[in-house]
Amino acid sequence: MKVCTKINEIRAILTQARTSGKSIGLVPTMGALHAGHASLIAASSARDDITVVSIFVNPTQFAPNEDLAKYPRTFEADKQLASAHGAQIIFYPDVAELYPDGEPTWVEVTGDITKVLCGKSRPIHFRGVTTVVSKLFNIIKPTRAYFGQKDAQQVQVLKKMVRDLMFDLELIVLPIIRESDGLALSSRNIYLSTSERAAALVLSTSLQLAQSAFSQGERNPEKILTLVLNNIATEKLATVDYVEIWQLPDLTCCTNPMQASNLLAVAVYFGKTRLIDNIILEA
Ligand code: AMP
């Protein structure tokens, strides 16, 4: 396992690999790796000749009141996990390496796609994500980049960015990995107290309720949202940020009756910890 902290160093290695015809898979992460990240790394190493995992807690996607300073940092364990799932290179730059000039040039996907859901609660978030992912794409020049459906809005925003800016790569999206009881894996789950961890199960049970209503023919989005909200309301430790349905791919308004492919996305606080989860309701 090679750890590169400098852009020049990783570029030199990857230029050589590309010249000898090797494909490059990139798995961008903020570290604190878990089985969700492992599924992306394993998919990349199954398909691409070289798998690069980037570990960078990107300051520009955090608002001043968010958890940048306390975001979990577990580099030694991350190295083990990445290597065990087939990664050959970890790109581990510091902030000065990726943001050498203070105020950066922003890459921003505009329109409703970045204004609804997490874009509403976290107005600067996606601009930070698209800026850092563009930097990573330009440094690594991957053949494929792997992302999780766990961050469903991020996936749609990045797909639009790749289309609009003609990045020459394939974006691969993989399913949400969950604990055996249904909680979606997240680096932030470690913030939860025992009682908050138990309460957080309400996310996946609520989404399952929605899925079964939809499977039984319910196509009224208001009814599905009420079902989810009522179920979350049974959990005292849960405070809803949003529970919404938007039509895919571009997060346009959902029709009634629902048609095509719709994203049901939730963001809920348990204490100070904000967790997100989602399902796709496919008509
Ligand atoms: P993060 O380190 O949270 O920025 O996540 C890095 C990548 O891992 C993103 O593409 C996430 O969507 C993905 N990811 C995070 N949690 C999961 C999960 N439970 N299942 C699948 N992918 C995930």
Side-chain angles (χ1 to χ4, degrees):
M1 167 68 71
K2 173 93 185 143
V3 177
C4 296
T5 58
K6 299 291 173 203
I7 295 169
N8 283 348
E9 186 190 8
I10 194 162
R11 275 202 167 137
I13 294 171
L14 293 177
T15 301
Q16 209 171 30
R18 236 176 268 111
T19 311
S20 51
K22 292 194 166 142
S23 70
I24 297 163
L26 169 66
V27 182
T29 81
M30 297 205 299
L33 302 184
H34 51 61
H37 301 109
S39 72
L40 306 182
I41 298 168
S44 170
S45 54
R47 191 150 177 199
D48 287 306
D49 300 317
I50 294 182
T51 292
V52 178
V53 177
S54 63
I55 297 180
F56 181 67
V57 184
N58 176 37
T60 65
Q61 69 192 65
F62 289 77
N65 62 333
E66 294 182 343
D67 59 341
L68 173 63
K70 72 164 187 170
Y71 197 84
R73 286 158 168 92
T74 57
F75 184 67
E76 286 309 314
D78 291 351
K79 223 160 57 174
Q80 303 283 328
L81 182 143
S83 164
H85 291 87
Q88 288 93 344
I89 303 175
I90 291 184
F91 182 47
Y92 186 50
D94 63 15
V95 173
E97 187 71 8
L98 287 198
Y99 294 100
D101 296 326
E103 175 78 11
T105 298
W106 295 110
V107 176
E108 186 166 14
V109 173
T110 53
D112 287 349
I113 193 169
T114 51
K115 294 203 172 57
V116 299
L117 300 172
C118 289
K120 198 167 171 193
S121 329
R122 308 181 70 190
I124 62 155
H125 176 69
F126 287 112
R127 183 185 73 167
V129 170
T130 44
T131 298
V132 80
V133 171
S134 299
K135 287 172 185 275
L136 292 170
F137 285 174
N138 282 327
I139 296 164
I140 310 291
K141 298 196 183 76
T143 319
R144 278 171 277 272
Y146 296 79
F147 294 90
Q149 179 60 26
K150 163 81 178 5
D151 296 275
Q153 186 176 13
Q154 170 172 284
V155 160
Q156 298 308 326
V157 170
L158 290 175
K159 278 185 177 169
K160 182 161 164 52
M161 181 188 85
V162 165
R163 267 196 326 268
D164 289 353
L165 297 185
M166 290 102 184
F167 277 108
D168 185 18
L169 56 87
E170 189 183 352
L171 205 147
I172 309 284
V173 182
L174 291 161
I176 301 176
I177 304 295
R178 297 175 181 280
E179 302 275 11
S180 54
D181 62 5
L183 181 69
L185 287 171
S186 163
S187 305
R188 292 188 165 99
N189 289 351
I190 61 155
Y191 299 152
L192 300 169
S193 68
T194 310
S195 54
E196 288 165 353
R197 168 68 180 77
L201 270 190
V202 78
L203 297 180
S204 53
T205 56
S206 302
L207 294 177
Q208 279 158 18
L209 274 180
Q211 179 64 72
S212 27
F214 190 82
S215 304
Q216 284 159 32
E218 183 59 76
R219 291 293 181 271
N220 182 332
E222 291 307 324
K223 289 198 174 155
I224 292 180
L225 290 173
T226 304
L227 200 64
V228 173
L229 283 163
N230 286 346
N231 196 58
I232 296 177
T234 62
E235 186 43 75
K236 283 196 188 61
L237 294 180
T239 306
V240 169
D241 179 5
Y242 63 68
V243 172
E244 293 176 17
I245 300 177
W246 293 88
Q247 194 165 302
L248 290 167
D250 288 329
L251 307 184
T252 44
C253 281
C254 174
T255 54
N256 184 7
M258 291 158 76
Q259 287 157 358
S261 191
N262 298 276
L263 176 71
L264 166 56
V266 301
V268 176
Y269 284 93
F270 299 89
K272 289 197 170 109
T273 306
R274 180 177 173 279
L275 299 182
I276 57 171
D277 202 345
N278 70 85
I279 49 166
I280 292 175
L281 301 172
E282 199 104 44

